[in-house]
Amino acid sequence: MTVHKEVSFLAYLLVLGMFILVSATDHHDPKKCKECGNFTYGICPRSEGSPKNPICTNCCSGYKGCRYYSADGHFICEGKSDPRKPNVCPRNCDPKIAYSKCPLQEGETIIKPTRCTTCCTGYKGCYYFDKDGKFACEGESTEPKACTLECDPKVAYMTCPSSKSTKLTNICANCCTAKEGCKLYGHDGSLLCTGDIKNH
């Protein structure tokens, strides 16, 4: 009987330990990037220059998220200036800097809308803003992430220009897959996003 109690107690400790381990592992899982953010536009730095056509800049005025290289390909520095609030930097060019490598340009100007993205999937060095022009976040991804085709559980219904304002319910869609002009709404009736031709 004592042996049975000891085995039961050890089994209980083993199950408890596994539960704690799984909980800790779930807590530290990498961030999942599935749902699109409600961003209006993004600002990204551009890759510029080449070994044959060097740029005129320095590490202070170069954008954060951009890496600067010499003509022979040696890394010089990462930019220190935030595109939202550029640093007051000396104007002299660093003669060692020939070209830069930056995340892809997602918006040519601040009024160009973003594609379906999140803070997690957005590029490092790109800054995302909401519909009121308020800064939302800096992208965290060093590589582009594909547009997910998964259904967004936040979507309750959709209206499209082709459906003459009829609510389309029981749909499987997300902000990334919505066709141009289609509007996705949440369960509380709030607008989640509008489809963009760039998503296709």
Side-chain angles (χ1 to χ4, degrees):
M1 189 73 172
T2 306
V3 172
H4 179 70
K5 284 183 179 179
E6 286 179 8
V7 169
S8 296
F9 180 71
L10 288 173
Y12 171 76
L13 285 178
L14 180 62
V15 169
L16 181 63
M18 288 174 64
F19 176 75
I20 291 170
L21 181 63
V22 167
S23 296
T25 304
D26 285 346
H27 181 70
H28 294 293
D29 269 354
K31 199 177 285 185
K32 294 180 181 177
C33 308
K34 288 186 178 177
E35 296 174 356
C36 297
N38 191 16
F39 304 130
T40 303
Y41 63 88
I43 300 174
C44 298
R46 299 179 190 192
S47 297
E48 296 179 300
S50 70
K52 291 183 179 178
N53 298 300
I55 56 175
C56 175
T57 191
N58 57 49
C59 297
C60 174
S61 58
Y63 284 131
K64 281 183 180 176
C66 287
R67 297 170 64 87
Y68 294 91
Y69 297 85
S70 65
D72 60 1
H74 284 89
F75 172 69
I76 305 295
C77 62
E78 184 167 344
K80 297 177 183 172
S81 187
D82 187 331
R84 296 167 296 164
K85 298 177 279 185
N87 291 342
V88 177
C89 295
R91 295 189 179 195
N92 58 305
C93 299
D94 185 338
K96 296 189 300 291
I97 293 175
Y99 63 95
S100 67
K101 289 183 182 177
C102 303
L104 293 179
Q105 179 76 11
E106 288 201 352
E108 290 175 10
T109 65
I110 61 170
I111 58 171
K112 190 160 185 177
T114 63
R115 299 180 70 173
C116 165
T117 192
T118 65
C119 295
C120 177
T121 57
Y123 286 111
K124 271 192 178 184
C126 291
Y127 299 87
Y128 295 93
F129 298 82
D130 66 17
K131 60 184 178 182
D132 299 320
K134 186 177 177 185
F135 173 71
C137 62
E138 180 177 355
E140 299 169 15
S141 178
T142 53
E143 295 179 3
K145 303 272 195 315
C147 174
T148 177
L149 298 177
E150 294 179 16
C151 305
D152 185 343
K154 295 195 305 294
V155 175
Y157 64 93
M158 174 173 71
T159 62
C160 293
S162 59
S163 64
K164 298 180 182 176
S165 301
T166 304
K167 288 183 182 180
L168 304 171
T169 56
N170 299 321
I171 56 167
C172 174
N174 62 44
C175 293
C176 186
T177 58
K179 291 182 181 177
E180 183 182 14
C182 292
K183 295 183 177 183
L184 301 183
Y185 294 86
H187 296 280
D188 61 356
S190 63
L191 177 66
L192 298 174
C193 60
T194 302
D196 184 345
I197 197 168
K198 291 187 304 179
N199 295 341
H200 305 286

